[in-house]
Amino acid sequence: ALAFSPYRPSSEVPLHARVQHVTSVGIELSFVIFDSRNYQFAVADKEGGPDTEWTTSQAAAAAHNAVAAINASFFDKEGQPLGLVIEEGRRIGRWNSQSALTSGVFTVEKGPRLLRRRHWRSFSPTRHLVQAGPFLVENDNLVHGLDDQKSSPRSFLVWDGRSSWAFGYTGQATLAGLGRALAAQPLTKLSITTALNLDGGRSSDLW
């Protein structure tokens, strides 16, 4: 899971996170929107696999004193991540340079960023990292070539390229449909420059 909890409030940046529900291009979307200058990200790994420790994102959030949590990527039948995960500097799983499901990287170094897999360097002093994918929106534009056949619940992460972020969830969409809905810029106070798919199917969960 990915979770976020508050820093000490800044006098310049409102601390509160916002929840926004919208419909874009016929797809219902839910967002938890926040500013990373006032909140810190954490990766929360379930060492024993998907049926252990926290059965919901709400339980993961409670265990980390977090404001919100969302499941973060794909895993195999044994519960092992399909790509690299780093939790507080501890490496879990293996770097995956092949699958489209691990073509993006969410990383926390000096600050949180979303990167293409090829742009992350393993020698970086990385506190938290999750390989996930595919990208849905990049440089403000829809990513082309996304699957438009399989509809599923999906979790995703959006970023304005600066300090505004949102965890996102939809109950049913194809990857291409979700990309179109996000590229249509449905949020009133967050311009979606980059969006990364996190998971799809029954394990998709946002609290």
Side-chain angles (χ1 to χ4, degrees):
L2 286 178
F4 68 86
S5 54
Y7 289 120
R8 183 185 301 275
S10 163
S11 60
E12 298 179 357
V13 184
L15 178 61
H16 62 278
R18 297 184 296 115
V19 174
Q20 189 170 347
H21 303 285
V22 300
T23 299
S24 178
V25 196
I27 295 175
E28 295 181 1
L29 304 166
S30 296
F31 297 90
V32 182
I33 304 165
F34 59 100
D35 192 305
S36 61
R37 291 172 293 180
N38 271 337
Y39 292 89
Q40 57 186 342
F41 278 102
V43 170
D45 179 66
K46 303 201 297 186
E47 287 191 61
D51 296 323
T52 65
E53 298 182 73
W54 321 299
T55 56
T56 65
S57 292
Q58 181 178 3
H64 291 78
N65 297 315
V67 174
I70 193 168
N71 62 304
S73 192
F74 293 89
F75 48 84
D76 64 21
K77 293 180 180 179
E78 285 70 44
Q80 295 301 308
L82 294 185
L84 180 63
V85 173
I86 298 177
E87 179 189 33
E88 286 293 355
R90 180 174 66 98
R91 295 171 72 99
I92 306 156
R94 296 181 177 181
W95 181 253
N96 188 329
S97 60
Q98 302 298 323
S99 173
L101 300 179
T102 58
S103 57
V105 176
F106 166 77
T107 179
V108 180
E109 295 164 11
K110 292 182 179 180
R113 295 186 298 165
L114 285 176
L115 303 172
R116 280 284 177 181
R117 179 170 55 198
R118 63 181 177 272
H119 294 149
W120 183 72
R121 299 293 179 260
S122 60
F123 52 79
S124 301
T126 303
R127 289 181 52 233
H128 294 283
L129 180 146
V130 173
Q131 271 194 279
F135 275 94
L136 305 168
V137 175
E138 195 169 21
N139 299 321
D140 301 304
N141 294 310
L142 171 68
V143 173
H144 296 288
L146 297 169
D147 177 76
D148 208 7
Q149 299 298 315
K150 184 178 179 181
S151 186
S152 175
R154 300 192 184 278
S155 60
F156 53 93
L157 186 63
V158 304
W159 182 36
D160 74 344
R162 296 181 294 278
S163 64
S164 292
W165 292 80
F167 289 172
Y169 174 83
T170 179
Q172 205 67 227
T174 65
L175 287 170
L178 178 56
R180 288 191 292 267
L182 297 175
Q185 300 297 336
L187 295 174
T188 54
K189 295 185 179 181
L190 193 159
S191 177
I192 299 174
T193 296
T194 309
L196 181 69
N197 183 66
L198 295 177
D199 195 9
R202 290 180 297 172
S203 57
S204 296
D205 186 28
L206 167 64
W207 181 83

